[in-house]
């Protein structure tokens, strides 16, 4: 056989192996509004950049009727490619082949590309669309999951790991995404659950749809398992591509720099924050007023909205923003918002991304619900994450910084490098009303006109403490700045911190309050 005919044979074999689960299964996939695994890979990566490996891998299962089944690529595609020129490793489960179920060879392909990503020090993207552990392969499938979870854990903090849920993600399959840094879901397509509706019906006698149990909205709004929500697969891929531009390839690099751009004129920093500390506003407009091109890439937009996190660029360099959101629950800290911010801070710290904190909060959310939900333990994660982070940390106090909130939100005491305050900042143990009621209780109750006395005492307290100058006098904040100086000072702080060094005591690892 000549090389030419052998090449023709290769092309035939390749075409066959790339045909997935066949026409019928592909039709079913499309009818559900889903792209095939191969279409997804090609839609996500730069044109002509995909290099596939292990296309000809076959399963070795023999139980039940498996010895008669040909499963092309064993239901998963793996390879390398680029996104806007940056390299990534990726796998995409093919639901048209045995429901994308995970057998031994399937798992070995995934762990191979995971090992590759870790060795090459480039991001890993996993597209999940699978019925979970391949039932016919028994413990081999479980072993496969264990091998994947282990690798997710070792790679954590070394390379960015991104999970895309584009179909069912059932049983143990959800735990690999949960171990990764960013999870993307698409409305009506993504489903994530440990035990499905059938099991719930059998065990608990309750009927629930897959969508209500673990659909995209459930995870983007309620559980916090999904960081990004899209309405179509294409929109989801655009989100992933954008994310990749903000993050570095690995933990020994910085994210790529872009050409600096001034914020758009329509975001006027001097008119975003109302003078009245009780008036809400959208803190994202403060970010847009200071960030390059007013471009803010929000993470967890729909979950724990009382804190806002995401990436932007200052003078062309990626930064992570962590900000209280006064227009949602007055921006208080609670269980979910503490978790949300703490994990993001750890990501930024692991991947050399400076953190900018914008503060405006009345403190922690009071109440039995929060106490019983463990606000002490969850709130402690935020203290831990800020304290531990050694990347440049710049904090701007816009208005309220009361009590534990003042300390927790990137304060000087948790090793912030720069702390600026606007003249509207109020830094105190608690709000003036609450404080006056406690410390002047006797004077107020014994006064001829208690209400008049209360107002007087509130004013007295406000004049004394509800300003930035007491903290400035003690050096807890570095300087009080005009709002319009904010961008210049942030850019300055980030640029002079490029070679910042900060060390933590030698240890195997800390023990954060997980
Ligand atoms: C083997 C599977 C499979 C599985 C689906 N298929 N899941 N094969 N093992 N786990 C096959 C089906 O037999 C079918 O094959 C094809 O994939 C498409 O499946 P359908 O059921 O026809 O599709 P659909 O109606 O869309 O339903 C999708 C589904 C359902 C909701 C995912 O298939 C399902 O509930 N699967 C089981 C989910 C599950 O419980 N998995 C195990 C979790 S336990 P044919 O040949 O007919 O096309 C687990 C433990 C891991 O994962 C623990 C690690 C810690």
């Amino acid at each position: 056989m000549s090389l030419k005919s052998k090449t023709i044979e290769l092309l035939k074999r390749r075409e066959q192996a790339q045909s997935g689960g066949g026409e019928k299964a592909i039709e079913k996939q499309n009818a559900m509004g889903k792209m095939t695994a191969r279409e997804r890979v090609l839609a996500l990566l730069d044109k002509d950049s995909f290099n596939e490996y292990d296309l000809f891998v076959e399963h070795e299962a023999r139980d039940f009727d498996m010895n008669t089944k040909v499963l092309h690529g064993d239901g998963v595609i793996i390879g390398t490619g680029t996104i806007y020129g940056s390299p990534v490793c990726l796998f995409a489960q093919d639901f048209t082949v045995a429901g994308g179920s995970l057998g031994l060879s399937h798992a070995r392909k995934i762990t191979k590309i995971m090992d590759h990503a870790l060795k090459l020090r480039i991001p890993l993207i996993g597209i999940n669309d699978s019925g979970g552990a391949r039932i016919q392969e028994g413990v081999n499938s479980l072993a496969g999951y264990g091998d994947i979870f282990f690798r997710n854990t070792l790679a954590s903090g070394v390379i960015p790991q991104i999970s895309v849920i584009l179909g069912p993600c059932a049983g143990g399959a959800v735990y690999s995404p949960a171990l990764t840094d960013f999870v993307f879901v698409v409305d009506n397509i993504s489903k994530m659950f440990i035990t499905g509706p059938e099991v719930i019906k059998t065990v608990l006698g309750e009927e629930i749809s897959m969508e209500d149990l673990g659909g995209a909205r459930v995870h983007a709004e309620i559980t916090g398992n999904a960081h990004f929500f899209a309405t179509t697969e294409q929109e989801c891929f655009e989100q992933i591509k954008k994310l990749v531009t903000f993050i570095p390839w690995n933990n020994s690099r910085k994210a790529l720099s872009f050409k600096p751009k001034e914020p758009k004129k329509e975001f006027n920093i001097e008119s975003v924050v109302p003078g009245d500390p009780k008036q809400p506003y959208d803190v994202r407009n403060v970010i847009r007023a200071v960030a390059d091109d007013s471009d803010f890439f929000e993470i967890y937009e729909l979950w724990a909205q009382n804190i806002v996190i995401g990436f932007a660029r200052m003078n062309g360099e990626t930064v992570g923003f962590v900000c209280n959101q006064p227009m949602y629950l007055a921006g208080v800290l609670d269980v979910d918002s503490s978790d949300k911010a703490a994990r993001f801070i750890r990501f930024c710290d692991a991947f050399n991304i400076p953190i900018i904190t914008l503060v405006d909060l009345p403190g922690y959310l009071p109440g039995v619900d929060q106490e019983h939900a463990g606000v002490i333990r969850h709130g402690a994660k935020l203290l831990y994450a800020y304290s531990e982070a050694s990347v440049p940390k710049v904090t701007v106090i816009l208005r309220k910084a009361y009590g534990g909130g003042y300390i927790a939100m990137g304060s000087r005491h948790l090793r912030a490098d720069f702390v600026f305050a606007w003249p509207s900042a109020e830094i105190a143990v608690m709000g003036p009303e609450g404080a006056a009621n406690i410390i002047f209780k006797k004077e107020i109750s014994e006064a001829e006109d208690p209400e008049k006395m209360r107002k007087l005492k509130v004013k007295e307290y406000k004049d004394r403490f509800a300003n930035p100058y007491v903290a400035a006098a003690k050096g807890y904040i570095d300087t009080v700045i005009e709002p319009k100086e904010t961008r210049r000072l942030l850019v300055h702080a980030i640029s002079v911190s490029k070679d910042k060094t900060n060390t933590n005591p030698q240890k195997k690892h800390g023990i954060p309050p997980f």
Side-chain angles (χ1 to χ4, degrees):
M1 223 180 176
S2 68
L3 178 58
K4 197 171 172 195
S5 2
K6 282 186 177 172
T7 306
I8 291 170
E9 188 203 343
L10 162 69
L11 295 181
K12 260 194 207 152
R13 280 174 179 261
R14 202 186 264 173
E15 191 183 349
Q16 199 182 25
Q18 288 179 343
S19 65
E23 258 174 50
K24 247 191 168 167
I26 291 173
E27 263 171 36
K28 192 177 160 197
Q29 177 88 348
N30 290 337
M32 287 189 277
K34 292 160 65 178
M35 291 171 149
T36 63
R38 198 159 293 278
E39 285 167 346
R40 287 166 173 167
V41 170
L42 298 180
L44 179 60
L45 297 179
D46 293 339
K47 195 165 181 285
D48 298 329
S49 73
F50 181 53
N51 291 298
E52 184 168 1
Y53 315 129
D54 286 0
L55 174 65
F56 301 116
V57 159
E58 292 173 10
H59 72 83
E60 292 164 15
R62 293 292 169 263
D63 287 327
F64 302 100
D65 60 349
M66 288 300 284
N67 54 338
T68 63
K69 281 195 174 166
V70 177
L71 301 180
H72 291 308
D74 206 31
V76 64
I77 297 170
I78 65 166
T80 49
T82 60
I83 291 179
Y84 296 129
S86 289
V88 294
C89 281
L90 124 169
F91 70 84
Q93 293 178 308
D94 186 347
F95 193 82
T96 67
V97 178
S101 56
L102 184 135
L104 187 62
S105 299
H106 181 121
R108 280 188 179 150
K109 283 181 71 172
I110 293 178
T111 53
K112 182 176 189 172
I113 203 67
M114 294 177 86
D115 290 342
H116 208 56
L118 191 56
K119 193 167 54 185
L120 302 182
R121 295 284 196 266
I122 57 177
L124 174 78
I125 301 176
I127 300 179
N128 297 268
D129 185 1
S130 165
R134 187 174 296 154
I135 295 161
Q136 299 91 324
E137 294 201 36
V139 71
N140 266 344
S141 312
L142 302 183
Y145 274 121
D147 291 343
I148 292 170
F149 303 157
F150 171 70
R151 280 164 177 77
N152 284 133
T153 307
L154 287 198
S156 177
V158 184
I159 52 169
Q161 299 182 81
I162 294 168
S163 296
V164 197
I165 314 296
L166 293 181
C169 192
V174 294
Y175 279 116
S176 172
L179 287 164
T180 62
D181 304 310
F182 299 105
V183 176
F184 290 76
V185 292
V186 176
D187 205 12
N188 296 317
I189 289 180
S190 314
K191 317 270 184 271
M192 294 172 85
F193 43 79
I194 297 285
T195 49
E198 286 300 324
V199 178
I200 291 178
K201 196 172 164 193
T202 314
V203 178
L204 303 172
E206 287 169 15
E207 298 237 13
I208 186 157
S209 70
M210 244 201 273
E211 193 61 37
D212 290 341
L213 178 65
R217 281 203 176 273
V218 169
H219 292 299
E221 292 175 8
I222 301 172
T223 66
N225 286 325
H227 300 73
F228 294 94
F229 174 88
T231 50
T232 64
E233 293 196 22
Q234 197 53 52
E235 186 193 351
C236 171
F237 295 143
E238 293 308 318
Q239 291 173 341
I240 297 167
K241 285 159 126 168
K242 184 154 184 178
L243 172 67
V244 168
T245 69
F246 280 106
I247 57 179
W249 298 4
N250 59 56
N251 66 346
S252 57
R253 285 191 175 227
K254 288 194 172 179
L256 298 179
S257 304
F258 282 67
K259 198 166 167 253
K261 277 185 178 171
E262 284 301 305
K264 291 181 177 146
K265 294 237 165 8
E266 67 205 76
F267 297 102
N268 177 3
I269 194 143
E270 295 189 290
S271 58
V272 182
V273 180
D276 176 357
K278 289 194 178 125
Q279 282 285 311
Y281 62 93
D282 188 347
V283 75
R284 290 173 295 195
N285 288 332
V286 180
I287 304 172
R288 292 178 186 120
V290 295
D292 282 19
D293 203 25
S294 302
D295 185 17
F296 176 53
F297 186 57
E298 189 169 355
I299 302 165
Y300 275 135
E301 195 179 336
L302 303 173
W303 181 59
Q305 294 177 45
N306 36 332
I307 207 152
V308 167
I309 59 168
F311 296 119
R313 290 190 184 90
M314 297 298 294
N315 209 32
E317 308 292 333
T318 295
V319 295
F321 272 93
V322 178
C323 319
N324 308 116
Q325 174 58 294
M327 75 174 203
Y328 196 92
L329 289 176
V332 288
L333 282 172
D334 60 2
V335 165
D336 286 345
S337 60
S338 300
D339 279 10
K340 171 170 158 178
R343 189 150 181 215
F344 180 61
I345 290 163
R346 294 200 99 201
F347 180 87
C348 291
D349 190 42
F351 290 103
N352 313 310
I353 297 172
I355 298 162
I356 296 176
T357 305
L358 302 182
V359 186
D360 188 350
L361 83 163
Y364 281 86
L365 181 62
V368 177
D369 286 354
Q370 282 294 307
E371 296 293 346
H372 288 192
V375 70
I376 298 173
R377 181 165 50 87
H378 292 278
K381 294 181 199 176
L382 188 57
L383 302 174
Y384 195 106
Y386 265 122
S387 301
E388 183 188 42
S390 60
V391 287
K393 295 186 285 194
V394 191
T395 299
V396 186
I397 303 173
L398 305 177
R399 279 195 324 193
K400 297 188 284 278
Y402 295 157
Y406 157 70
I407 307 168
M409 288 301 294
S411 66
R412 157 73 13 90
H413 321 291
L414 307 186
R415 215 168 44 167
D417 301 296
F418 300 86
V419 184
F420 305 125
W422 284 13
S424 45
E426 298 183 4
I427 304 165
V429 173
M430 60 172 72
E433 279 79 10
N437 280 342
I438 294 171
I439 58 176
F440 302 117
K441 193 175 172 183
K442 204 157 166 247
E443 286 97 321
I444 293 171
S445 64
E446 287 173 0
E448 224 168 82
D449 183 346
E451 193 44 34
K452 195 172 161 200
M453 177 62 84
R454 207 182 64 79
K455 280 195 178 132
L456 204 73
K457 290 296 176 189
V458 167
K459 184 173 179 311
E460 194 180 318
Y461 185 89
K462 258 192 189 165
D463 291 345
R464 176 73 188 97
F465 286 124
N467 62 64
Y469 301 105
V470 180
K474 297 178 191 313
Y476 294 151
I477 56 175
D478 297 309
T479 180
V480 183
I481 62 169
E482 288 181 67
K484 68 176 183 202
E485 295 175 299
T486 309
R487 174 170 161 90
R488 184 179 64 75
L489 283 163
L490 288 174
V491 168
H492 166 78
I494 301 292
S495 69
V496 297
S497 306
K498 279 205 167 99
D499 291 327
K500 178 192 167 185
T501 50
N502 235 353
T503 50
N504 292 335
Q506 191 63 39
K507 53 183 147 180
K508 186 173 173 190
H509 56 67
I511 305 157
F514 281 155

